[in-house]
Amino acid sequence: MKIHEYQAKGLFTDYGIPVPRGGVARTPAEARKIATQLGGKVVVKSQIHAGGRGLAGGIKITSSPEEVEKFAEGLLGRRLVTHQTSPEGAPVDAVLVEEAAEAKQELYLSVLLDTSKGMPLMMASEAGGMEIEEIAEKAPEKIHRAYIDPVVGLQPFQARSLVYAMNLGPEYVRPAQQVMTGLYKLFMEKDFSLAEINPLTITTDGRLLALDAKINIDDSGLFRHKDITEMRDISQEEPLETQAADADVTYIKLDGSVGCLVNGAGLAMATMDVVKSAGAEPANFLDIGGGASEERVTTAFSILASDPNVKVAFVNLFGGITKCDDVARGIINAAKKLELKIPIVVRMRGTNFEEGLRLLSESGLNILPEPDLTAAAAKAAERA
Amino acid sequence: MILVDENTRVVVQGITGGQGSYHARASLEYGTKVVAGATPGKGGTLFDDKIPVFNRVEDAVKETGANASLIFVPAAFAADAILESADAGIPIIVCITEGLPALDELVVNRHLAEKGACLIGPNCPGITSPPGRCRLGIMPGYIHKPGNVGVVSRSGTLTYEAVNQLTELGIGQSTVVGIGGDPLPGSTFVDILKLFQADPDTNAVILIGEIGGTNEQAAAEYIKSKMTKPVVGFIAGATAPPGRRMGHAGAIVTGSASRADEKKKALAAAGVAVVESPAEIGITMQRALKAKGLI
């Protein structure tokens, strides 16, 4: 799950991380009101679940409440297309109106889980403002790391050490330590997989301010964070992916024309790879999980087929606990119920696969059963 | 055989639930010594009129000599179940449950390292030992055949594909281990490869990896420096869209190493026979065994 910048900044405030003064507006009039209260230069930021807002014209520094209102009017209720959104863009239902802080220096700060070491890692850099990938490429010596033992937490000496490594003056030790401690605590207490501040600005009047906030949440931890779950904004999600998730099906939309339907994540990925080597492009990743019930198969087909790019469905199943003949019946019923027009190539192995393939070939539907994976992928690619 | 054998005595945590009861029965059918169940509040009852259920894993260990646990409890309680098993002195713990928060896994792994217990999973199909007639997990037992190839994998159904191909070619397995798809697994490829390398019953190994993390690179390093047995490898996810599950900053830690092509390259450089399609796993192993005169 993702959350909006204004929500992340609200959490920052709760954990003692200073953010610019401001507020969130859902109408141009509200935006104007907040700008009037703030006074002076303000920045208006469209709230969507994607990066690249600045380049796409979704962020503006303005000098009057009138200008704020006008800019907000142009954004609210529209869709913003950035390099990270789909071509249709993401809906802008809110804008964040904040004081425009004058920056003396921009820093980078993040906490994430380093899975190879099995430890939380804090990364800091004096070269903030640009993406961490870019820093890693251009000035890797400016990325400083502190591994944190989850039993004892982030120690003051580690925070100090990062501040000194960034060559900041001694006056910044205390405020930076407060930001770092808060960010680590937030990361651990709310089950985040990434908490990133970029830039963490040193203002001309010597304050530290989190100008932006990027949060990734470990969905597995959501059950114990009702407050975070309530921040979910379904309008920002790909509707098909939401529909799939509600049915316990994992679906990720891609750009190709072979709609894949597979049981198991590893096999689903491998199926996409096989489609590609057969000369076609997968339209999606789709894992129906264990149990492949008729209901789930039907949901999966309806999701897969609602992508207009899909020209052929490619079902790849290994029946372990799941019986292939049961799944075959489910496929036949789903195809009838949904009146699927596209051809369906079905490759199945494992429990009762011969019976499953026989049922499919006798169904009288546009279904092509094939026990061999490579041959099945070729059949699907021919029809893509 | 590694990790489990005919002397493995299993306590199933969550034996009274739907999944737990189904797989307890399937394991018994396979020949596994399922000796106890543990469900808080159901202590003193019998599962299927024959297997005693205890409130605490500790009691199951004392009363039945259980020395391995199989966990089916919901994600919110799974970390607790793992720690309870470890505390009761159980050396082999398999957690089938999917959806444990990563931070729970972090803490569990730290604690288990101190206890010296071995955790397989979470989010995994478990362990099957065909020669030991032991099924500590959820794999379809009938596809296996006793033999001398070890299998270690991050994926469930891909493991079954590989095992099925081997069995159809008449090649049996010594032990099949699914380490699971979570970012912080209890046991890594290297942990399992070490056991296979030391196991006199294992002649060769199949390794099935996927995108994400650097577990495969660590495996490649181990294989290159320590492993004398032939290894066949497959990596899933060459066409997976980048950045869907991993934050940008996460990718920095490992660089491009989490990509499929980088993992394949590392394994190939370590002498692993890397196949491009999962359909080639079985025949490639057959070739490798023939080349070594092992079949």
Side-chain angles (χ1 to χ4, degrees):
Chain A
M1 203 191 93
K2 288 180 181 170
I3 58 175
H4 285 296
E5 179 194 359
Y6 77 89
Q7 294 165 325
K9 283 181 169 169
L11 290 167
F12 279 6
T13 305
D14 296 344
Y15 281 80
I17 302 165
V19 298
R21 291 177 299 124
V24 67
R26 292 179 191 281
T27 65
E30 271 174 32
R32 181 188 178 128
K33 199 176 145 200
I34 296 165
T36 311
Q37 282 164 356
L38 288 171
K41 272 191 179 173
V42 299
V43 56
V44 183
K45 305 172 90 175
S46 53
Q47 298 295 291
I48 58 167
H49 284 183
R53 294 172 298 171
L55 285 173
I59 296 177
K60 193 177 183 185
I61 297 175
T62 57
S63 43
S64 74
E66 290 73 32
E67 203 187 335
V68 169
E69 185 170 8
K70 204 167 154 238
F71 184 63
E73 207 175 300
L75 280 175
L76 288 165
R78 306 249 167 92
R79 299 181 80 91
L80 186 67
V81 181
T82 82
H83 70 273
Q84 283 187 11
T85 65
S86 66
E88 300 85 51
V92 184
D93 296 325
V95 292
L96 179 60
V97 184
E98 284 182 334
E99 60 168 317
E102 295 278 333
K104 192 159 74 179
Q105 194 182 347
E106 294 190 321
L107 312 173
Y108 170 93
L109 186 69
S110 70
V111 185
L112 58 108
L113 206 53
D114 181 345
T115 53
S116 61
K117 288 218 167 47
M119 279 179 120
L121 165 65
M122 180 168 277
M123 291 200 287
S125 174
E126 63 270 41
M130 56 177 150
E131 298 272 328
I132 184 75
E133 287 86 347
E134 209 180 326
I135 308 175
E137 198 181 304
K138 289 185 181 158
E141 74 285 357
K142 287 184 179 162
I143 298 179
H144 315 288
R145 296 171 164 85
Y147 282 96
I148 304 162
D149 183 334
V151 176
V152 294
L154 178 74
Q155 295 300 299
F157 82 86
Q158 293 181 297
R160 279 199 307 274
S161 157
L162 290 173
V163 174
Y164 293 135
M166 287 190 283
N167 282 319
L168 303 184
E171 67 274 27
Y172 292 109
V173 169
R174 195 183 286 259
Q177 196 171 312
Q178 184 186 328
V179 172
M180 289 172 178
T181 308
L183 195 67
Y184 174 71
K185 203 160 173 253
L186 176 61
F187 174 88
M188 293 299 283
E189 286 185 4
K190 300 292 184 192
D191 279 292
F192 288 169
S193 50
L194 169 71
E196 184 181 80
I197 309 175
N198 190 20
L200 173 64
T201 289
I202 301 179
T203 61
T204 43
D205 53 355
R207 290 178 296 154
L208 273 180
L209 279 182
L211 243 53
D212 203 356
K214 182 177 173 185
I215 301 295
N216 288 350
I217 297 160
D218 175 7
D219 288 350
S220 298
L222 277 176
F223 69 86
R224 54 190 176 201
H225 303 294
K226 195 165 171 278
D227 56 336
I228 305 284
T229 312
E230 283 169 357
M231 292 180 186
R232 184 173 174 192
D233 181 355
I234 292 176
S235 73
Q236 297 289 327
E237 298 171 10
E238 164 73 44
L240 287 178
E241 291 180 10
T242 310
Q243 194 191 334
D246 290 345
D248 255 344
V249 168
T250 314
Y251 171 85
I252 297 173
K253 197 179 171 308
L254 304 169
D255 302 325
S257 60
V258 179
C260 303
L261 194 162
V262 189
N263 67 335
L267 189 59
M269 275 194 275
T271 304
M272 287 164 39
D273 299 346
V274 175
V275 166
K276 178 107 175 172
S277 5
E281 291 289 334
N284 60 273
F285 168 97
L286 196 160
D287 170 17
I288 53 170
S293 66
E294 185 177 321
E295 199 188 333
R296 242 193 244 185
V297 171
T298 309
T299 312
F301 266 122
S302 80
I303 290 165
L304 173 159
S306 51
D307 174 354
N309 296 330
V310 170
K311 294 208 179 71
V312 56
F314 182 22
V315 179
N316 186 14
L317 292 166
F318 191 92
I321 308 305
T322 313
K323 294 185 182 69
C324 288
D325 53 332
D326 286 346
V327 184
R329 284 184 202 97
I331 293 171
I332 292 166
N333 291 340
K336 282 182 184 161
K337 198 171 153 193
L338 299 168
E339 297 176 10
L340 289 179
K341 301 275 183 295
I342 49 168
I344 306 169
V345 178
V346 181
R347 181 266 175 178
M348 41 174 62
R349 289 309 284 265
T351 314
N352 301 350
F353 80 96
E354 281 120 334
E355 174 66 5
L357 293 172
R358 190 188 63 79
L359 289 170
L360 292 168
S361 61
E362 290 170 5
S363 68
L365 298 167
N366 193 4
I367 299 177
L368 300 101
E370 169 59 60
D372 182 75
L373 179 57
T374 314
K379 279 186 183 172
E382 271 167 37
R383 288 157 181 85
Chain B
M1 275 181 283
I2 64 167
L3 298 165
V4 296
D5 56 28
E6 62 279 3
N7 300 315
T8 300
R9 299 171 66 81
V10 182
V11 51
V12 177
Q13 291 175 263
I15 198 167
T16 49
Q19 265 224 332
S21 55
Y22 179 91
H23 287 293
R25 284 180 199 120
S27 288
L28 278 165
E29 238 170 74
Y30 190 73
T32 314
K33 294 187 175 72
V34 178
V35 296
T39 303
K42 297 269 172 75
T45 60
L46 286 177
F47 172 76
D48 280 1
D49 302 323
K50 56 185 177 215
I51 294 167
V53 179
F54 300 89
N55 285 324
R56 311 187 303 169
V57 175
E58 191 185 340
D59 299 329
V61 171
K62 255 185 228 149
E63 301 291 326
T64 68
N67 57 12
S69 76
L70 180 58
I71 297 172
F72 289 100
V73 307
F77 315 110
D80 182 54
I82 296 168
L83 295 173
E84 185 184 357
S85 266
D87 201 59
I90 292 199
I92 306 285
I93 304 164
V94 168
C95 182
I96 304 300
T97 311
E98 181 179 355
L100 266 77
L103 295 180
D104 281 9
E105 296 179 7
L106 185 78
V107 176
V108 163
N109 286 349
R110 287 268 315 206
H111 191 72
L112 292 199
E114 279 165 27
K115 287 265 169 191
C118 167
L119 170 67
I120 302 292
N123 186 17
C124 77
I127 312 168
T128 304
S129 166
R133 299 309 293 170
C134 180
R135 175 186 184 267
L136 189 64
I138 60 168
M139 294 184 198
Y142 79 95
I143 60 171
H144 297 83
K145 173 186 160 79
N148 305 99
V149 170
V151 180
V152 58
S153 168
R154 280 171 73 182
S155 148
T157 37
L158 269 180
T159 311
Y160 312 160
E161 283 278 356
V163 170
N164 195 52
Q165 286 172 24
L166 290 175
T167 298
E168 284 182 350
L169 290 167
I171 302 168
Q173 307 90 41
S174 57
T175 311
V176 180
V177 185
I179 56 172
D182 280 0
L184 289 174
S187 295
T188 62
F189 280 130
V190 173
D191 295 329
I192 306 304
L193 287 175
K194 279 180 184 167
L195 298 176
F196 277 138
Q197 173 63 21
D199 175 34
D201 299 328
T202 301
N203 290 338
V205 177
I206 288 174
L207 180 151
I208 300 171
E210 59 189 40
I211 51 165
T214 50
N215 205 333
E216 289 78 2
Q217 277 84 352
E221 224 162 274
Y222 174 78
I223 292 166
K224 197 171 184 176
S225 59
K226 299 274 160 61
M227 202 129 175
T228 54
K229 300 176 181 180
V231 181
V232 171
F234 174 72
I235 304 292
T239 51
R244 277 308 300 254
R245 280 172 70 187
M246 208 175 294
H248 284 297
I252 277 304
V253 182
T254 53
S256 56
S258 63
R259 294 200 326 239
D261 54 347
E262 290 294 325
K263 289 173 189 256
K264 287 180 189 172
K265 218 192 285 170
L267 288 169
V272 175
V274 179
V275 298
E276 286 302 316
S277 162
E280 296 161 10
I281 297 172
I283 46 165
T284 307
M285 178 50 82
Q286 189 180 40
R287 235 177 278 136
L289 290 171
K290 275 186 184 152
K292 288 254 175 185
L294 292 165
I295 50 170

